[in-house]
């Protein structure tokens, strides 16, 4: 059973390597993540230029969070495994791990949004582990040590942005919908 799982993860790694999307996927993930709260921005009666500004700033901040995550992975890879690499080439290879983030727009779904967000972020982390094994031959256990600090950095930055802006928007939306239903 475990051997079959490892074989499946190795084939997934080869598929991710074939994608070779690079750093360009960062912006797409950021846009998907910022689009997930578009309804809340509309409910707060923001004008279209204000909504666009919020979404662009959020997309850039979220893209920066994942870029910092990837750079943290590269530092940990150099420190723990002694693999010399250039951060931009590493980021280009690891960019394919972020493709589940394109589905982050689904987090706008009511009641299950937190579960979807956690599942997508865990999927991204699994993709990073698979790519570390496929590209650098690092075992999954060592990959956990390499990828965990960057994953925590990304979770903290994304969490701060959500807590600061988006939760407030969702609370206002929920109050307005409840008032309309009464």
């Amino acid at each position: 059973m475990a051997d079959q799982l490892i074989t499946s993860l190795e084939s997934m790694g080869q598929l991710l390597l074939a994608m070779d999307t690079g750093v360009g996927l960062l912006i797409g993930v950021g846009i998907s993540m910022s689009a997930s709260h578009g309804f809340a921005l509309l409910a707060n009666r923001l004008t279209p230029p204000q909504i666009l500004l919020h979404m662009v700033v959020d997309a850039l901040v979220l893209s920066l969070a994942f870029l910092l995550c990837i750079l943290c992975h590269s530092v940990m890879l150099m420190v723990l495994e002694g693999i010399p690499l250039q951060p931009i080439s590493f980021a280009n290879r690891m960019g394919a791990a972020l493709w589940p983030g394109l589905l982050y727009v689904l987090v706008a779904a009511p009641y299950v949004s937190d579960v979807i967000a956690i599942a997508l972020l865990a999927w991204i982390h699994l993709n990073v582990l698979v790519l570390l094994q496929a590209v650098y031959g690092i075992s999954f256990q060592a990959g956990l040590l390499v990828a965990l600090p960057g994953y925590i950095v990304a979770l903290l930055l994304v969490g701060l942005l959500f807590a600061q802006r988006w939760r407030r928007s969702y609370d206002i939306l929920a109050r307005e919908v409840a008032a309309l239903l009464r």
Side-chain angles (χ1 to χ4, degrees), residues 19-177:
M19 286 176 65
D20 194 27
T21 57
V23 180
L25 192 59
L26 283 171
I27 297 296
V29 170
I31 290 170
S32 176
M33 292 179 89
S34 69
S36 68
H37 74 287
F39 293 115
L41 293 173
L42 285 171
N44 289 325
R45 295 182 180 86
L46 295 177
T47 63
Q50 289 173 319
I51 291 173
L52 182 64
L53 179 66
H54 274 276
M55 292 181 81
V56 166
V57 169
D58 287 350
L60 291 174
V61 169
L62 291 164
S63 298
L64 179 64
F66 281 109
L67 182 61
L68 289 174
C69 173
I70 289 172
L71 291 177
C72 189
H73 292 337
S74 69
V75 168
M76 292 298 292
L77 192 60
M78 285 188 290
V79 169
L80 294 178
E81 297 295 323
I83 298 174
L85 48 89
Q86 294 179 344
I88 191 65
S89 64
F90 179 75
N92 276 329
R93 284 200 164 164
M94 299 309 282
L98 297 175
W99 77 265
L102 295 173
L103 303 174
Y104 207 87
V105 71
L106 300 174
V107 173
Y111 307 113
V112 292
S113 61
D114 290 339
V115 173
I116 294 172
I118 290 169
L120 289 174
L121 291 172
W123 192 357
I124 290 170
H125 187 60
L126 176 65
N127 284 347
V128 168
L129 295 176
V130 167
L131 276 172
L132 285 173
Q133 197 278 330
V135 175
Y136 300 104
I138 295 173
S139 69
F140 293 114
Q141 295 84 2
L144 281 172
L145 290 175
V146 168
L148 190 61
Y151 184 66
I152 291 172
V153 165
L155 282 178
L156 288 174
L157 291 174
V158 169
L160 285 173
L161 188 64
F162 270 102
Q164 196 173 48
R165 288 189 180 175
W166 298 0
R167 289 291 178 200
R168 208 172 321 129
S169 298
Y170 282 121
D171 291 341
I172 292 170
L173 176 62
R175 273 186 257 131
E176 289 187 6
V177 168

